[in-house]
Amino acid sequence: MIPVAEFKQFTEQQPAFKVLKPWWDVLAEYITIAMLMIGVFGCTLQITQDKIICLPNHTSADYVSQIICKEYTENPQATNATSTREMSGLRNNLDLQQYSFINQMCYETALHWYAKYFPYLVVIHTLIFIICGNFWFKFPGTSSKIEHFISILGKCFDSPWTTRALSEVSGETTQEKTAERDISKTNRQKSSSSRSMDISSKTPLLNEVRFSFAQLSLPAILDKKEEQQAKALFEKIRHFRAHAEDSDLVYRVYVSQTFFKVVKVAITLGYSLSLVGSFSFHHICRPGIKNLMGYSMFTCTHNLAFILEKLLLTYIVLVCVYAFLSAYALFWLFTSSLKVYSFDKNSEGPGFSDIPDVKNDFAFMLHMVDRYDTLYSRRFSVFLSAVSEGRLRELALNSEWPSEKLRQMINKDTKGRIELQLAMIPVIPKDVYELREIEVLKLELISSAKLVGAVSQLKSLSELHISHCSVKMDPDAFAFIRERLQVLHVRFTDMEELPSWMYSLKNLSQLHLSGNLNCSNNKSIRLHSLRGLSGLRSLSLTSNFSQLPSAVLDVAWQLSKLSIQNGDTELRSLGQLKRMNHLLVLQLCHCKLSRIPGALLGLTSLQCIDLTSNRLQLVDELGTLQRLRSLNILRLSHNAICRLPPSIELLRNLEELSISYNNLENLPISLFNLVRLRHLNVSYNRIRLIPPEVGHLTRLETLAIISNQISSLPRELFRCSRLRSLHVSSNQLSSLPSEIEKLPLLSSLDLMGNNLTELPQEIGNCLQLKKGGLDVEEHVLGTLPPEVRKKYL
């Protein structure tokens, strides 16, 4: 007797693998167990029971006549006795060994082969079905991937973070969602154009993800161990996804084994149906061994024919069901898109809107899990969400960044304002909102930044810097920021990093944007309308566009300052500047301008023109700027100007002139008729001489002539009694006039890099020139008297 337990190893599978068994595989597994039991039962019957019983057939009289003749010869009187004897049966005169021999002979020759081997074939076919059904769990190319997937799936299912993340999602109020939709709808209505850009998986910081701040009413914060386990799970799943999506081997192996099962079951069913009538209880056997037995024909009975026939019919029924299951599985495989899995199709979706679609083997295994229970994929998806990962980091960050630590990071900017800079952290710590003295908040490379209603506690906040991160905010935060924010700086790489709420800040006065706005190759790269910024007065653009964006022209009439840093991209069509008739300050830097734009002549309110870092060579049209009667600052540095026209004297109201980093060799006399000039910078040119007429600049406060070829300073220069800063380093000065003492307000004097051998001791009479104000070589400084020298040491 063969116990069924011996076959346990063929069907035993780890309990965890059941999550990858759809209902047809589970039912097919039960059917194979039943088929195996049929085979084992049939084999047991054939081993323990008599297979066949045979008796000689007496239809032939040869052997009977021989017996009668023999008896008459030996005993003639027996004839009468025989005739009178009552017959009780036929005597065969065969011993036990002969019966056993003829049974074996007739079993081999009289029975149909299927009647003899049916139970063994059932066992063999069933084992093949079992192997086919579990082959993808054992195949080397798929088993490790499946085991890894099931291991991660179980950890995700049991992770405390899964429960917390799903609780957060279910805890979001409908009002918050409705408010967010309203804000988004309002911004879209205000936009003059729509944008549509593909988000690359290689730039995760640019992805727009919806994210809600962790509420304090949620369950207790995870302990350190659970937090580390959750972080490890995110990392494992990230690597496993890259590995599983790289191929579709698991899918192909499962399809192949299913197709093989369909073919195999069709063959098995075909020949089994054709051999149903091969079982018979009565058989006639002619073994051809009359010389051994004395009989040429035997009548045999197959004792197991009836029960084996019933087992065959049962087996055929099970095979038919198995065939249906295999065909259904094959139909499902070829009619379903199993190489792509979208979590949006799950009606019980996890609640996160940023879960990516997966493909290939990863998608196929998730489809298989859904056939078992969609709850598994729902809990698994928590660890595919960047939002969920951001929330986990937020919890960790809140514990790692208490208010005491954040307060240590507070400092003052150049304007004396209190600022806090946060960089390269996952989220904004909640304790930031307890630092109520903050005036400037800088956020840089924060992957899941979101401002919540608690930002209203920052009553002094007026300036916000956003650098390479997409900042979201809830309705309460938006209401506060819209009313309070005065200055906004945004540095972006992708248009997705431009916050949609930016266009609704009605009280914003200064907007600084730095990023790619060149729409020549991609029409979707453009700013939305800025009409909603009714309080905007200053706009600064650091980009590379070829013409002014239409969004700038929407607020042209209200701007008082426009600054463009164009990354050495030629800026054309500047005639639209005429619409900015209230402009006070205009900066056009790195715009490849070869001449001063004529459109400037119509901006009669201009006070400052900055054309730094262009390609200006001839500036003969400088005289035409006299129409701009309010112009008092002109900056032409970093160009290729070789001479200044005499007409520059027409700019009578000019107070600051910067023409450093050009190709000037001399300065026109007319330049020094600008008697209102207070700051003059002609550094980094090739000027050899400062004309004596420099003495006419009686209001001059700053003079910079660094890195020129000046060999001496005119004595008339020292008539400029208001001079506070004199920078003449890197020239060819051999002496410094003693008239230096006529500059009582001089507080900064730079003489480095000249040919000086001594300093006049009259320099000590410059009462404002103190320690740190004099910059000169030590050996030159050593020529001063000790009482004067120690003043500068």
Side-chain angles (χ1 to χ4, degrees):
M1 186 71 177
I2 302 177
V4 178
E6 294 294 331
F7 295 91
K8 185 178 180 182
Q9 58 177 325
F10 296 105
T11 59
E12 184 179 11
Q13 195 63 253
Q14 295 182 16
F17 281 77
K18 65 183 180 181
V19 298
L20 288 181
K21 282 185 175 289
W23 65 267
W24 55 81
D25 278 351
V26 175
L27 187 55
E29 185 174 337
Y30 287 122
I31 291 175
T32 55
I33 294 175
M35 293 163 59
L36 185 63
M37 292 177 65
I38 290 174
V40 173
F41 181 62
C43 292
T44 304
L45 287 177
Q46 287 197 327
I47 293 173
T48 59
Q49 302 294 324
D50 291 335
K51 301 176 182 177
I52 193 170
I53 298 176
C54 298
L55 293 175
N57 194 322
H58 293 273
T59 57
S60 175
D62 295 340
Y63 185 76
V64 175
S65 62
Q66 292 177 10
I67 296 298
I68 295 174
C69 291
K70 183 178 180 181
E71 289 181 354
Y72 178 79
T73 303
E74 294 177 354
N75 187 6
Q77 296 179 355
T79 303
N80 296 331
T82 303
S83 60
T84 62
R85 182 177 57 190
E86 183 178 353
M87 300 294 291
S88 61
L90 297 177
R91 296 182 61 187
N92 298 323
N93 291 331
L94 298 177
D95 57 21
L96 182 60
Q97 287 77 12
Q98 289 175 312
Y99 278 116
S100 178
F101 179 76
I102 196 63
N103 288 344
Q104 293 295 332
M105 286 292 295
C106 288
Y107 180 79
E108 296 296 333
T109 58
L111 259 67
H112 191 276
W113 67 269
Y114 195 59
K116 294 183 291 185
Y117 303 117
F118 160 69
Y120 305 106
L121 290 175
V122 171
V123 172
I124 292 173
H125 290 319
T126 304
L127 292 179
I128 293 176
F129 288 143
I130 292 174
I131 292 173
C132 289
N134 296 281
F135 179 74
W136 67 317
F137 293 132
K138 300 296 183 182
F139 183 63
T142 60
S143 60
S144 62
K145 190 178 291 185
I146 292 174
E147 289 174 0
H148 194 187
F149 173 75
I150 292 177
S151 173
I152 293 177
L153 187 67
K155 292 178 180 178
C156 292
F157 194 89
D158 297 331
S159 174
W161 171 246
T162 309
T163 304
R164 179 181 179 89
L166 293 177
S167 298
E168 290 182 14
V169 172
S170 62
E172 290 180 351
T173 62
T174 306
Q175 294 179 352
E176 288 180 349
K177 293 182 178 180
T178 303
E180 288 183 0
R181 287 196 296 267
D182 291 343
I183 291 174
S184 178
K185 182 178 179 181
T186 302
N187 292 333
R188 286 196 299 269
Q189 291 176 347
K190 292 182 178 180
S191 301
S192 60
S193 61
S194 62
R195 55 192 173 120
S196 175
M197 300 186 66
D198 293 330
I199 300 176
S200 173
S201 60
K202 298 181 179 179
T203 56
L205 290 177
L206 307 183
N207 292 351
E208 182 175 347
V209 293
R210 297 184 178 180
F211 178 92
S212 64
F213 193 81
Q215 303 297 323
L216 297 178
S217 59
L218 293 173
I221 295 178
L222 305 178
D223 60 35
K224 198 67 176 178
K225 182 179 180 181
E226 292 171 340
E227 175 190 314
Q228 294 300 325
Q229 289 174 347
K231 288 181 179 179
L233 269 179
F234 275 107
E235 192 65 25
K236 284 182 180 179
I237 291 173
R238 187 178 292 111
H239 289 291
F240 177 76
R241 178 187 173 191
H243 173 63
E245 290 188 324
D246 189 50
S247 69
D248 59 349
L249 180 62
V250 175
Y251 171 79
R252 288 188 286 111
V253 169
Y254 187 82
V255 171
S256 300
Q257 77 175 30
T258 304
F259 181 77
F260 180 81
K261 284 194 296 183
V262 171
V263 174
K264 173 66 178 173
V265 77
I267 295 173
T268 303
L269 190 60
Y271 83 79
S272 297
L273 287 172
S274 65
L275 297 174
V276 171
S278 61
F279 295 95
S280 176
F281 181 75
H282 182 266
H283 294 272
I284 301 297
C285 177
R286 293 181 178 88
I289 53 174
K290 182 179 180 180
N291 57 338
L292 295 176
M293 298 296 173
Y295 297 92
S296 60
M297 185 171 60
F298 296 85
T299 298
C300 305
T301 60
H302 186 201
N303 302 337
L304 303 178
F306 178 79
I307 191 169
L308 289 181
E309 186 177 18
K310 302 307 178 187
L311 290 177
L312 174 60
L313 293 175
T314 306
Y315 175 69
I316 289 175
V317 172
L318 294 176
V319 171
C320 288
V321 177
Y322 193 91
F324 170 76
L325 296 175
S326 301
Y328 178 84
L330 198 62
F331 173 79
W332 179 72
L333 288 170
F334 287 125
T335 57
S336 303
S337 180
L338 302 179
K339 289 189 178 182
V340 177
Y341 186 93
S342 176
F343 290 91
D344 294 335
K345 296 179 180 179
N346 189 343
S347 59
E348 300 179 358
F352 299 107
S353 61
D354 69 318
I355 302 174
D357 294 347
V358 296
K359 58 184 180 179
N360 290 337
D361 282 344
F362 199 7
F364 176 68
M365 287 186 284
L366 286 172
H367 279 292
M368 297 297 281
V369 167
D370 277 350
R371 309 305 298 185
Y372 179 79
D373 190 347
T374 56
L375 181 61
Y376 278 87
S377 58
R378 183 187 180 192
R379 297 178 74 88
F380 187 84
S381 64
V382 170
F383 290 88
L384 290 172
S385 168
V387 170
S388 175
E389 186 174 8
R391 290 179 177 179
L392 175 63
R393 292 178 178 176
E394 177 186 358
L395 292 178
L397 199 71
N398 288 337
S399 60
E400 294 175 3
W401 291 80
S403 57
E404 294 77 10
K405 182 177 180 179
L406 290 169
R407 199 172 296 278
Q408 295 176 0
M409 300 177 60
I410 291 179
N411 52 42
K412 291 188 176 182
D413 62 7
T414 55
K415 298 180 181 180
R417 297 174 301 177
I418 299 175
E419 72 171 21
L420 173 65
Q421 181 173 4
L422 302 175
M424 301 182 70
I425 56 178
V427 294
I428 301 174
K430 64 180 180 63
D431 286 348
V432 167
Y433 306 114
E434 297 181 7
L435 309 178
R436 303 186 180 186
E437 66 272 24
I438 294 178
E439 299 176 77
V440 181
L441 179 60
K442 296 183 177 180
L443 308 176
E444 181 177 359
L445 292 173
I446 300 179
S447 56
S448 299
K450 182 174 182 179
L451 294 174
V452 298
V455 73
S456 60
Q457 300 178 27
L458 307 181
K459 300 296 184 180
S460 301
L461 183 64
S462 61
E463 183 170 334
L464 180 63
H465 293 245
I466 301 173
S467 180
H468 301 294
C469 57
S470 181
V471 178
K472 310 300 176 186
M473 60 176 63
D474 62 20
D476 292 338
F478 174 72
F480 174 80
I481 292 296
R482 182 177 56 184
E483 296 294 330
R484 295 299 183 91
L485 198 63
Q486 298 292 322
V487 183
L488 176 62
H489 293 253
V490 181
R491 295 178 61 88
F492 60 95
T493 304
D494 190 278
M495 290 297 293
E496 296 297 328
E497 293 178 351
L498 277 175
S500 58
W501 46 263
M502 176 186 73
Y503 303 99
S504 303
L505 302 177
K506 62 180 182 179
N507 291 327
L508 191 71
S509 61
Q510 297 183 32
L511 177 61
H512 302 260
L513 301 178
S514 177
N516 179 20
L517 292 173
N518 190 345
C519 59
S520 58
N521 297 324
N522 190 342
K523 299 300 182 183
S524 65
I525 300 179
R526 61 194 312 176
L527 284 173
H528 295 327
S529 175
L530 300 177
R531 287 192 179 96
L533 306 180
S534 56
L536 188 64
R537 295 295 178 266
S538 175
L539 178 61
S540 176
L541 301 175
T542 302
S543 188
N544 57 346
F545 42 79
S546 56
Q547 59 185 4
L548 287 177
S550 58
V552 176
L553 302 178
D554 291 340
V555 292
W557 60 273
Q558 66 189 55
L559 290 180
S560 60
K561 178 179 179 181
L562 175 64
S563 174
I564 297 177
Q565 302 280 341
N566 211 38
D568 289 329
T569 299
E570 184 177 1
L571 182 61
R572 303 185 294 272
S573 303
L574 290 176
Q576 297 171 330
L577 290 174
K578 296 178 180 179
R579 299 171 56 180
M580 303 182 182
N581 49 13
H582 292 92
L583 209 60
L584 301 179
V585 178
L586 176 63
Q587 295 179 336
L588 301 176
C589 304
H590 299 280
C591 298
K592 285 189 175 181
L593 300 178
S594 57
R595 56 188 298 272
I596 297 176
L600 303 187
L601 301 179
L603 305 179
T604 56
S605 299
L606 272 181
Q607 297 178 2
C608 173
I609 297 178
D610 188 348
L611 301 180
T612 300
S613 299
N614 284 285
R615 295 183 175 180
L616 301 176
Q617 293 183 354
L618 299 176
V619 287
D620 294 336
E621 62 271 21
L622 276 179
T624 61
L625 297 181
Q626 64 177 319
R627 301 179 186 177
L628 310 180
R629 299 187 180 279
S630 300
L631 185 65
N632 52 40
I633 299 176
L634 180 61
R635 296 168 182 162
L636 303 173
S637 300
H638 292 275
N639 282 281
I641 301 173
C642 56
R643 67 179 182 86
L644 291 176
S647 59
I648 193 174
E649 66 179 349
L650 299 177
L651 307 179
R652 299 186 182 278
N653 295 321
L654 210 60
E655 297 182 6
E656 178 182 335
L657 176 63
S658 178
I659 49 176
S660 60
Y661 293 93
N662 280 281
N663 298 324
L664 296 176
E665 294 185 357
N666 54 70
L667 297 176
I669 302 300
S670 58
L671 172 64
F672 303 102
N673 292 331
L674 303 175
V675 294
R676 294 188 178 184
L677 206 61
R678 294 190 298 113
H679 305 280
L680 177 60
N681 187 352
V682 294
S683 301
Y684 299 95
N685 282 280
R686 291 177 290 185
I687 300 173
R688 299 176 180 272
L689 177 67
I690 299 295
E693 287 76 7
V694 68
H696 297 166
L697 304 179
T698 56
R699 298 184 182 182
L700 194 64
E701 296 179 7
T702 302
L703 175 62
I705 50 177
I706 301 169
S707 291
N708 280 278
Q709 300 176 14
I710 306 297
S711 58
S712 62
L713 294 177
R715 299 182 182 275
E716 290 79 2
L717 172 64
F718 303 102
R719 297 177 185 173
C720 305
S721 57
R722 297 186 182 182
L723 197 64
R724 297 175 182 274
S725 299
L726 178 61
H727 303 277
V728 290
S729 61
S730 301
N731 279 279
Q732 299 177 7
L733 297 178
S734 58
S735 63
L736 184 66
S738 58
E739 286 80 359
I740 188 76
E741 65 179 352
K742 296 180 180 181
L743 303 177
L745 302 179
L746 188 66
S747 60
S748 178
L749 177 61
D750 184 5
L751 301 172
M752 291 289 292
N754 284 281
N755 300 325
L756 297 174
T757 57
E758 61 178 0
L759 291 175
Q761 65 181 17
E762 289 81 1
I763 196 174
N765 296 328
C766 299
L767 301 180
Q768 299 298 323
L769 190 62
K770 300 177 181 179
K771 181 179 180 180
L774 177 60
D775 196 1
V776 70
E777 290 84 354
E778 290 186 7
H779 71 278
V780 178
L781 185 62
T783 61
L784 292 173
E787 62 276 7
V788 177
R789 184 172 64 250
K790 71 178 182 179
K791 180 181 177 182
Y792 307 112
L793 294 178

